[in-house]
Amino acid sequence: MSTEATLLARCNSKCELCSADAPLAPFVVAPHTQITVDHAVMLCDTCKGQIENPETVDVNHWRCLNDSMWSQEAPVQVMAWRQLKGLAAEQGWAQDLLDMMYMEEDVANWAAIGMDDDAEKPRDVNGVELKKGDDVTVIKDLPVKGSSQVIKQGTVIRGISLSDDPKLISGKANGQSMYVIAEYCRKK
C-alpha cells in the first residue's frame, strides 16, 4: 500500500484538521521533508492554503481544531498545536484550547521545533538540531556521488561540521571527507 493510500485510510478520506470531504493532498509536517505516514497529514486545499499563506487565515475556519487536537496521530497533534499557537495571541478560544491540549513530550518538542524563528538549522531524522562537533549515525545506505562507494547504514560520522546549506553536514566517513544530508543521520 502506498504512503498516500495509507494516509487516506488513516483519515477516512477526510481532512485531518477540519474533516472536510474535499480533495486531499499529503502535507509534510516540518522540520521533516519527506512524505511518510509518521511525518505527514492529509489536508484539504482550504487548510493547506491557509497554512502556507498565513495572511489569508480565516479565524473561524480553525475552530475545527477543537476536535482534531484530540487526534491520536502525532503529526495531526503537531499541526493543531501550531495553528492554535499562531491564533492564541489574538483569539481567546485558541488559547483556551491550547491550555487543554495534551501531547507526549516528544510530540510537544516536535511541535515547538517548527515554531522556531530560525527554522533553518540542520536537523537529524528525528528533528533534533545538529551542532558542530556532534557525532551522528547514518540511518540508511547512501551512495557517494562521483564514485561507486556506499556509506553503509550504521556508519558513525564523528565531529561533524556544519555547512552554509542547513540540509547538509560534513564529516569523515570511511576515511574520506564528504557532505551528508542531515536528514539521513541520527544524533548519537
Side-chain angles (χ1 to χ4, degrees), residues 10-184:
R10 177 178 87 188
C11 68
N12 294 321
S13 298
K14 293 185 180 201
C15 177
E16 291 189 275
L17 292 181
C18 73
S19 299
D21 287 326
L24 305 174
F27 182 85
V28 180
V29 181
H32 302 285
T33 58
Q34 294 182 333
I35 296 172
T36 67
V37 174
D38 296 330
H39 301 139
V41 294
M42 292 300 281
L43 298 181
C44 65
D45 288 340
T46 303
C47 288
K48 187 175 179 191
Q50 290 188 37
I51 289 168
E52 291 174 342
N53 301 307
E55 63 276 357
T56 65
V57 168
D58 173 10
V59 174
N60 289 323
H61 172 77
W62 293 109
R63 290 187 180 265
C64 61
L65 297 174
N66 187 39
D67 295 325
S68 58
M69 69 184 222
W70 301 111
S71 172
Q72 296 298 310
E73 303 299 332
V76 178
Q77 292 174 1
V78 169
M79 291 304 298
W81 186 87
R82 288 178 182 172
Q83 287 306 110
L84 289 170
K85 190 77 171 165
L87 295 168
E90 297 178 14
Q91 302 296 320
W93 61 267
Q95 184 60 54
D96 292 343
L97 291 178
L98 269 177
D99 293 342
M100 288 189 294
M101 192 168 182
Y102 172 79
M103 294 186 290
E104 295 291 332
E105 185 177 346
D106 59 328
V107 177
N109 289 339
W110 178 14
I113 285 170
M115 298 299 285
D116 285 349
D117 291 336
D118 185 13
E120 292 295 315
K121 297 177 183 175
R123 299 195 185 276
D124 75 357
V125 67
N126 296 319
V128 176
E129 182 181 344
L130 298 173
K131 295 184 171 124
K132 182 178 180 179
D134 285 345
D135 296 340
V136 297
T137 304
V138 176
I139 63 164
K140 69 181 219 171
D141 289 354
L142 299 173
V144 177
K145 281 188 180 179
S147 78
S148 60
Q149 287 185 317
V150 173
I151 301 173
K152 295 288 187 185
Q153 177 180 350
T155 301
V156 176
I157 302 173
R158 300 193 185 281
I160 64 166
S161 298
L162 307 180
S163 69
D164 293 336
D165 184 346
K167 293 180 182 176
L168 298 177
I169 59 170
S170 63
K172 281 192 173 187
N174 303 332
Q176 256 187 323
S177 292
M178 60 189 67
Y179 286 96
V180 178
I181 298 172
E183 191 174 281
Y184 296 138

